[in-house]
């Protein structure tokens, strides 16, 4: 869900779900309000990816941000697989 102005993801509005995968590309700026009881996986940029993000309006950084996302993909897959397979 697009968080718009209320929160980064609005993940707390899905508190009735038992399983949740939340993708937070701007988690370091707008962290999600996660339901405490949900089996949740949060995917967010690590410090290296956050550094690559830099100025969000700088389109020249998009290529390096993409590569940081690809680098994090294997770890994300390991986090998602047990939740997705349920």
């Amino acid at each position: 869900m697009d968080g718009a102005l209320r929160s980064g993801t609005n993940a707390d509005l899905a508190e009735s779900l038992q399983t949740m995968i939340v993708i937070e590309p701007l988690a370091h700026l707008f962290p999600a309000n996660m339901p405490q009881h949900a089996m949740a996986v949060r995917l967010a940029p690590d410090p290296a990816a956050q550094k690559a993000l830099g100025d969000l309006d700088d389109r020249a950084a998009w290529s390096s941000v993409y590569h940081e996302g690809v680098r994090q993909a294997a770890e994300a897959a390991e986090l998602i697989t047990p939740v997705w397979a349920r």
Side-chain angles (χ1 to χ4, degrees):
M1 284 187 252
D2 182 359
L5 299 176
R6 185 182 167 277
S7 80
T9 63
N10 285 329
D12 59 314
L13 297 178
E15 66 185 343
S16 64
L17 297 178
Q18 293 181 7
T19 303
M20 197 185 298
I21 297 172
V22 178
I23 301 169
E24 300 179 86
L26 300 177
H28 59 294
L29 300 175
F30 311 103
N33 298 324
M34 299 293 292
Q36 296 301 312
H37 67 281
M39 177 166 210
V41 173
R42 298 175 78 178
L43 302 177
D46 64 14
Q50 290 174 24
K51 183 177 178 183
L53 279 167
D55 178 3
L56 298 178
D57 294 325
D58 181 9
R59 291 187 180 184
W62 288 13
S63 177
S64 61
V65 171
Y66 168 79
H67 290 290
E68 288 298 324
V70 170
R71 180 187 55 76
Q72 284 190 263
E75 179 185 353
E78 289 179 16
L79 293 171
I80 291 171
T81 299
V83 174
W84 198 268
R86 285 184 55 178

